[in-house]
Each structure stands twice: as C-alpha cells, then as structure tokens.
C-alpha cells in the first residue's frame, strides 16, 4: 500500500509506505535537509571520526561507525554496549545537533510515536560491498520508544525480518532521503542491510550513510 500525502505545515512532499504494524517508510522525508545534515555530520565526524569496530567474536565490521548524542553505540571484544565516551578519543561523543533530534521526532510522530526524544545517534557509513547482518536493536532500556533510521547516499536493500532470526525478511529498497521508523509491535524485529552495490551519489560518492536514532536511557 502506498499513501501519498502533502505535509502543508512542513511544506514538503513525502510518501508513507507501511511495512507492518508499527513500521513505516517515509520516502524522501529528509530530502529538503540533505545539505544541512551533511554539513553537521562533517562537524561531528571531525571530532569523532568513523572507524571499523570489532565484534565480540573478533570480526572487524565492514560498516564504519561513529556517534553523536549523550550515548554512543560501541562494540569491542568485551561486547556491545552504549557508552557516554568515545573510546578512541577518550572524550564525550559530539553533541547531537538539535535539528537532528527534531527531524527524528517528526518522523517518529508520523508513525504514531509521540514525543520521541533520542539521546543517541549511531552513524553508519557503508562502502560498496559493506553489509550489516540481521540483528535486533535491544541494548536500549525502553522498548516503547521507536527506532528512527535515516538513509543518505547510494541505495541499499534493507532487510526487515520478524521476531526470530530465521523468519523470512522483507526486502525494502532504501534511497537517499528515506526514513524508516519501527516501534510498538515491530520494535524488536530483526533487520539488516544486504551488501551495498556499486553506485555513485552526487553528494556522497560511492557511499551510503545511515543515521539511527534511539532513546537509550
Ligand atoms: C542499523 O540497523 O544499525 C543500520 C540499518 C541501516 O543501515 O539501514
Ligand atoms: Fe539496527
């Protein structure tokens, strides 16, 4: 089902594509803000550069990561966790730009999740060939709070599965400017990203950037 709507208040055109109960794709939701987002990201990444973290099992992730906000998601030989400190710099993560939080809150509200106040923004950068295997986002305290996921740059195939890893996953193509929101009954669904195919984007070259907003505490 595709629902087209014109958001008069925001003066922008976006398309909603429900995935299942509690999950929705907002097509083109951040397109008008692309320049502002990329400029703010440059600033954040100058303070906490992207790096390829190591999983608890000892594998280096193909996706390069950083964070902004009070909490940052990290992984190392000790496990997955949220940390207030960037382990590379020894400093707090860069602040989350106010308009990032506002965009995430607006996206969440479109999906019916009111007053979402993210305190973590994971920044994922995919090169061609990078992928993310199926996982649940479950290191957060309050599962009534949704996940808001912003896609920028070259396209990717998002996998949106069920409550068990072996459940068949939907394939959802995501393009520059799209936002996926999942929460409620869908909050703990497995999800991942297939290996990104060769492509080029006018602003990001051969890269895809994903911003994942969460309320950790
Ligand atoms: C994630 O689950 O952290 C990333 C999802 C994406 O890159 O679209
Ligand atoms: Fe995730």
């Amino acid at each position: 089902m595709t629902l087209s709507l014109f958001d008069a208040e925001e003066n922008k055109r976006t398309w909603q594509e429900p995935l299942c109960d509690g999950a929705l794709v907002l097509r083109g939701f951040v397109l008008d803000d692309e320049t502002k987002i990329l400029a703010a990201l440059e600033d954040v990444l100058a303070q906490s550069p992207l790096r390829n973290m190591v999983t608890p099992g000892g594998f280096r992730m193909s996706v390069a990561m950083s964070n902004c906000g009070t909490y940052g998601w990290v992984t190392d030989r000790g496990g997955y966790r949220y940390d207030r400190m960037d382990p590379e710099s020894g400093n707090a993560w860069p602040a989350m730009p106010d308009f990032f939080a506002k965009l995430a809150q607006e996206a969440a509200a479109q999906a019916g999740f009111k007053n979402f106040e993210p305190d973590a923004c994971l920044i994922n950068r995919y090169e061609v060939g990078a992928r993310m295997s199926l996982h649940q986002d479950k290191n957060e305290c309050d599962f009534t709070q949704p996940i808001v996921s912003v896609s920028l740059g070259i396209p990717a195939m998002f996998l949106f599965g069920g409550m068990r890893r072996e459940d068949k996953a939907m394939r959802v193509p995501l393009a520059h400017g799209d936002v996926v929101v999942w929460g409620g009954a869908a909050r703990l669904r497995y999800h991942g990203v297939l290996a990104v195919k060769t492509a080029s984007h006018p602003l990001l070259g051969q890269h895809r950037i994903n911003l994942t907003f969460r309320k950790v505490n």
Side-chain angles (χ1 to χ4, degrees):
M1 177 173 67
T2 302
L3 213 95
S4 195
L5 65 92
F6 183 68
D7 186 334
E9 206 176 305
E10 289 292 322
N11 198 30
K12 65 184 172 191
R13 190 171 287 277
T14 123
W15 295 260
Q16 294 192 358
E17 287 178 22
L19 295 178
C20 65
D21 185 18
L24 188 65
V25 185
L26 303 167
R27 297 287 179 196
F29 193 76
V30 300
L31 271 183
D32 292 346
D33 303 284
E34 57 180 13
T35 321
K36 217 174 144 190
I37 295 173
L38 293 177
L41 271 180
E42 202 174 314
D43 218 45
V44 164
L45 296 177
Q47 298 168 66
S48 279
L50 292 160
R51 77 292 304 258
N52 296 86
M53 299 185 202
V54 174
T55 64
F59 295 101
R60 195 160 286 280
M61 296 185 77
S62 59
V63 179
M65 298 178 169
S66 184
N67 293 276
C68 61
T70 305
Y71 299 97
W73 186 86
V74 291
T75 171
D76 57 22
R77 292 304 298 238
Y80 306 124
R81 65 182 181 281
Y82 283 100
D83 205 315
R84 287 176 174 269
M85 193 186 81
D86 175 350
E88 299 258 305
S89 68
N91 298 323
W93 295 102
M96 188 189 306
D98 287 344
F99 81 98
F100 273 30
K102 186 164 174 275
L103 274 177
Q105 185 168 91
E106 285 168 5
Q110 295 267 334
F113 303 101
K114 304 274 181 255
N115 305 317
F116 177 52
E117 287 182 4
D119 54 12
C121 171
L122 170 65
I123 303 158
N124 292 312
R125 191 187 65 180
Y126 296 72
E127 297 180 350
V128 170
R131 57 186 285 274
M132 193 173 291
S133 47
L134 283 176
H135 65 277
Q136 291 171 298
D137 288 6
K138 59 176 184 188
N139 296 122
E140 303 75 27
C141 292
D142 180 359
F143 296 144
T144 68
Q145 297 296 312
I147 304 286
V148 174
S149 170
V150 174
S151 290
L152 297 165
I154 63 175
M157 190 62 81
F158 183 60
L159 298 174
F160 198 63
M163 302 300 282
R164 296 173 310 165
R165 191 185 296 278
E166 56 275 21
D167 290 343
K168 191 172 163 50
M170 277 181 249
R171 290 181 171 218
V172 185
L174 294 180
H176 180 76
D178 291 347
V179 176
V180 188
V181 181
W182 66 97
R187 178 61 178 74
L188 289 174
R189 281 196 180 233
Y190 277 85
H191 58 279
V193 176
L194 289 183
V196 170
K197 294 201 171 137
T198 305
S200 184
H201 184 272
L203 297 175
L204 283 162
Q206 295 198 328
H207 288 114
R208 168 176 190 258
I209 289 191
N210 166 265
L211 307 176
T212 299
F213 292 92
R214 302 164 179 151
K215 173 97 174 106
V216 173
N217 269 316

